[in-house]
Amino acid sequence: MGNDSGYTFSIAHLTVLDLAPPEMIALAARTGYHRIGVRLLPATPGGQAYLLDDPAMLRETQAAIADTGITVFDLEIVRLEPHTDIASFRRFFEVGQALGAQAILVAGNDPDETRLTANYAAFCEAAVPYGLTADLEFMPWTDIPDLAKAIRVVGAAAQPNGGILVDALHFDRSDSHVEDLLKIPREWLHYVQLCDGPAEKPTTTEGLIHAARAERLFPGDGGIDLVGMMRPLPRDLPVSLEIPMETLSRTVGPEERVRRALDKAKAVLAKLDVAGEPLAQRRAS
């Protein structure tokens, strides 16, 4: 399937977290992607992460970028907590700059909105010299549980490199609203994460987290209205396919999974142009 939609595609690290960045770059080059995301910091204590303390692998990753033309787009994952020390991210920024990355995925884990907003603003300021945006991702089990609060925090922080990351699963599970997508200023949108999930939503926090980190579905295979979510978003946003599938991964290797993911994402996005669907809500790129 061709790519005449205007979208470019990235493999999110969570999709193939067992692969080191050089392997991901080679995989992306073989399967038709343009970019990858890299997890520099673990999502949970003791979780998998790469490169911050591995200069040899960093050099190998830079060589793979040069050899293939596949770029690193986003970096994960920064959690802003009550006692976060912004100065501690210097190495994170330096590695991101060395990779040529553009965006950082940021999570809000502080119930004090005033302090969280101040820390987010300070983090944005610290990232500026490295050419990085700070994209706040709302997730229903965090202290930025939905799109409305993400808009409020990023707006109050008022930083030129601030942004909001819309993840399809979190958008659906947080009961955020399509009309709120139109309230996001264009300059806050740097990329979007696409996947699918069952129509029936988990009823517990544990269930939400497990589904998000381990058992998503390929675009079009679940019950999320992906076309409705994508319609108001700019058509030139990079699309990161974040689709961890622990059960499927026991029988299907990473190359086949990322190929299926890309084919299915393109099929969903092609529906944006189906004749007869109203385009009035589409935002200009």
Side-chain angles (χ1 to χ4, degrees):
M1 184 178 299
N3 179 37
D4 55 3
S5 65
Y7 294 106
T8 57
F9 296 92
S10 177
I11 304 173
H13 213 153
L14 186 58
T15 302
V16 288
L17 192 54
D18 289 343
L19 297 187
E23 297 172 284
M24 286 186 70
I25 290 170
L27 179 64
R30 291 195 303 271
T31 54
Y33 288 79
H34 308 84
R35 303 175 167 100
I36 67 165
V38 173
R39 183 159 289 188
L40 295 185
L41 290 172
T44 56
Q48 186 64 267
Y50 297 89
L51 297 180
L52 282 190
D53 301 312
D54 194 336
M57 185 182 288
L58 177 58
R59 291 191 296 271
E60 186 182 351
T61 304
Q62 290 171 311
I65 292 168
D67 288 345
T68 63
I70 300 296
T71 58
V72 172
F73 184 78
D74 63 299
L75 310 172
E76 301 180 61
I77 174 174
V78 168
R79 296 193 180 279
L80 296 179
E81 300 174 325
H83 302 294
T84 293
D85 176 14
I86 302 301
S88 69
F89 292 103
R90 180 176 176 179
R91 177 63 179 164
F92 183 99
F93 294 139
E94 289 173 345
V95 170
Q97 185 178 49
L99 292 169
Q102 299 180 44
I104 301 169
L105 189 157
V106 179
N109 293 97
D110 185 346
D112 184 326
E113 185 172 334
T114 299
R115 180 175 57 206
L116 176 58
T117 301
N119 275 334
Y120 174 70
F123 184 83
C124 288
E125 290 175 354
V128 165
Y130 301 90
L132 292 158
T133 63
D135 295 83
L136 190 61
E137 183 177 24
F138 56 97
M139 295 173 259
W141 60 87
T142 70
D143 294 301
I144 305 292
D146 54 30
L147 177 54
K149 186 167 182 180
I151 290 173
R152 190 164 71 238
V153 169
V154 175
Q159 297 299 310
N161 62 332
I164 290 177
L165 174 58
V166 179
D167 175 299
L169 189 74
H170 302 323
F171 178 80
D172 180 76
R173 277 27 180 169
S174 65
D175 295 320
S176 293
H177 304 292
V178 169
E179 53 267 28
D180 285 337
L181 293 170
L182 291 165
K183 299 176 184 177
I184 306 174
R186 174 62 186 89
E187 60 270 21
W188 292 5
L189 291 166
H190 304 119
Y191 68 121
V192 61
Q193 287 184 328
L194 200 61
C195 68
D196 212 331
E200 185 174 349
K201 303 173 185 179
T203 57
T204 66
T205 296
E206 292 75 18
L208 287 165
I209 292 172
H210 175 73
R213 293 179 180 168
E215 295 294 350
R216 302 192 187 201
L217 298 176
F218 293 124
D221 284 0
I224 297 175
D225 181 11
L226 299 177
V227 172
M229 187 199 83
M230 292 298 293
R231 186 169 298 284
L233 298 176
R235 290 295 295 272
D236 59 350
L237 281 187
V239 177
S240 172
L241 298 183
E242 184 173 66
I243 314 173
M245 305 179 84
E246 283 189 2
T247 300
L248 186 66
S249 69
R250 297 181 191 126
T251 56
V252 177
E255 183 154 341
E256 177 61 23
R257 296 200 313 275
V258 300
R259 285 187 188 276
R260 288 188 200 175
L262 184 57
D263 286 345
K264 287 178 174 287
K266 288 179 178 180
V268 166
L269 295 171
K271 294 179 182 179
L272 290 168
D273 293 321
V274 171
E277 289 196 6
L279 300 181
Q281 292 237 298
R282 178 179 295 166
R283 178 200 307 251
S285 295

